[in-house]
Amino acid sequence: GKLEGGSRYTFYSPEMNTWSRDRLNLEAALRKGLGNDEFELFYQPQIDIRSGRLAGLESLIRWHRPGSGLVRPDLFIAAAEESGLITNIGEWVLNAATHQAARWSADGLVPVPIAVNVSVRQCTDMSVVDTIRHALRDSGMDPRQLKIEVTESTAMHDPERVAELLHRIHALGVGVAVDDFGTGYSSLSLLKRFPISELKIDKSFVIDLAEDNDDAAIVRGTIALAHSLGMRVVAEGVETELQLRFLARHGCNVAQGFLFAQPLPTAEIRHWLKMPPP
Ligand code: C2E
Ligand code: CA
Ligand code: CA
Ligand code: CA
């Protein structure tokens, strides 16, 4: 420890040891989980607001961690990012989603767009473009059916590089969506330079839509902005009829949320894919 400005710093506190030990255990378990095939993709339906029909699916990773049941990504994606394991997990996700899409269309089910989340660490170099290209070629999935979701904060992290990355992804014929829009302070001029086909309004704005005038204004403004730039708008976290009605009234294109369905395992997605497309 060192005395500075009257406060004492101890670098090897017991809490710190526990924290880093937990983190190392988590990383080891993640690495093992990849080898043991412990991950699964769930899919959440996205609904075309005007027709009420299925407009797409978002893939969301789950981890069957031995002894812990089904673990949600909020509990391990950050650790995967920090350890660099996200590259391997991201590759697994892209392969799983594209092969699942190909399986569904081989079974004669309606081919809707499938969105895959790509995190900031996966965007630090261009290798994710190769990963996407390989997954598409390997699976035979139609690139136009695939959509990559990057968060607004990822896009703003290193705009030059991410713009280049997104253009390469776009050149494969793959769509690009900006996730968690409204939380990342993006500049509009930058947004215009990205090949984005879709904005996803963060669920924090959707939750209080009916009660909070500011959130309502942000949502209205985002829809108008997206449309003026030729983008579709998806609202996430739609839980109530009231929220849906507001979104419909203001021309939002697609809704995703518990009002329609939770993220579901593939077996339960099949019947959604039997509905006619919008
Ligand atoms: P996200 O991309 O913003 O995904 C939406 C999250 O909102 C999902 O949580 C979903 O289950 C949840 N959600 C959907 N509808 C509702 C609703 O009506 N109300 C509420 N309160 N929540 C709703 P999930 O599946 O736990 O995923 C959390 C985050 O983990 C995702 O946020 C995404 O950032 C990340 N993630 C998930 N799968 C992947 C993946 O394959 N790769 C990467 N890099 N990140 C992933
Ligand atoms: Ca997402
Ligand atoms: Ca989101
Ligand atoms: Ca979010």
Side-chain angles (χ1 to χ4, degrees):
K2 181 179 164 207
L3 216 55
E4 216 174 68
S7 50
R8 212 184 156 80
Y9 297 104
T10 40
F11 291 108
Y12 299 102
S13 67
E15 297 81 25
M16 186 95 148
N17 271 328
T18 310
W19 183 85
S20 50
R21 199 166 350 103
D22 284 352
R23 181 46 70 93
L24 286 176
N25 285 341
L26 178 57
E27 285 175 22
L30 279 170
R31 193 167 284 123
K32 210 164 141 209
L34 265 172
N36 291 349
D37 208 23
E38 290 168 4
F39 295 97
E40 181 178 356
L41 286 185
F42 277 29
Y43 294 86
Q44 188 176 31
Q46 302 176 319
I47 306 301
D48 179 82
I49 292 179
R50 221 179 272 169
S51 68
R53 288 178 180 159
L54 186 69
L57 298 170
E58 178 179 4
S59 66
L60 293 156
I61 195 169
R62 300 291 182 263
W63 179 20
H64 298 274
R65 184 178 184 180
S68 307
L70 199 65
V71 183
R72 296 199 15 186
D74 286 338
L75 295 173
F76 64 86
I77 288 290
E81 289 231 344
E82 277 160 38
S83 63
L85 272 173
I86 194 68
T87 309
N88 310 68
I89 293 176
E91 194 174 337
W92 179 87
V93 168
L94 278 160
N95 278 314
T98 52
H99 281 82
Q100 184 60 61
R103 212 168 303 134
W104 277 326
S105 35
D107 288 350
L109 298 168
V110 175
V112 295
I114 293 177
V116 171
N117 291 284
V118 166
S119 59
V120 64
R121 178 82 182 257
Q122 288 176 272
C123 297
T124 50
D125 62 36
M126 298 292 157
S127 67
V128 69
V129 181
D130 294 320
T131 306
I132 295 169
R133 190 187 301 112
H134 288 146
L136 286 167
R137 203 171 42 208
D138 219 52
S139 62
M141 181 189 189
D142 181 350
R144 288 165 304 180
Q145 207 192 327
L146 181 63
K147 207 160 36 187
I148 297 298
E149 290 191 6
V150 295
T151 66
E152 186 184 21
S153 53
T154 298
M156 291 306 117
H157 183 72
D158 183 352
E160 297 274 306
R161 189 203 298 276
V162 173
E164 155 101 50
L165 184 83
L166 295 183
H167 277 287
R168 292 195 195 182
I169 291 173
H170 181 72
L172 299 175
V174 172
V176 175
V178 172
D179 204 359
D180 299 349
F181 188 79
T183 63
Y185 313 103
S186 58
S187 100
L188 296 183
S189 57
L190 278 173
L191 208 59
K192 242 180 73 180
R193 299 216 313 257
F194 291 173
I196 300 164
S197 51
E198 190 176 287
L199 285 190
K200 295 190 78 177
I201 301 177
D202 191 65
K203 56 178 172 285
S204 60
F205 301 108
V206 175
I207 299 277
D208 289 329
L209 210 49
E211 294 86 30
D212 187 315
N213 284 333
D214 293 337
D215 285 353
I218 290 167
V219 169
R220 273 200 315 267
T222 303
I223 294 169
L225 163 72
H227 286 169
S228 72
L229 295 172
M231 301 169 190
R232 287 195 329 161
V233 188
V234 179
E236 59 176 31
V238 180
E239 295 183 356
T240 68
E241 288 286 349
L242 212 59
Q243 293 162 350
L244 180 64
R245 272 203 296 278
F246 180 97
L247 293 163
R249 197 159 62 237
H250 293 95
C252 182
N253 306 93
V254 174
Q256 177 181 351
F258 298 163
L259 178 62
F260 303 101
Q262 306 246 345
L264 300 167
T266 52
E268 289 175 56
I269 286 296
R270 292 187 77 86
H271 87 269
W272 284 87
L273 293 171
K274 288 175 183 152
M275 305 199 297

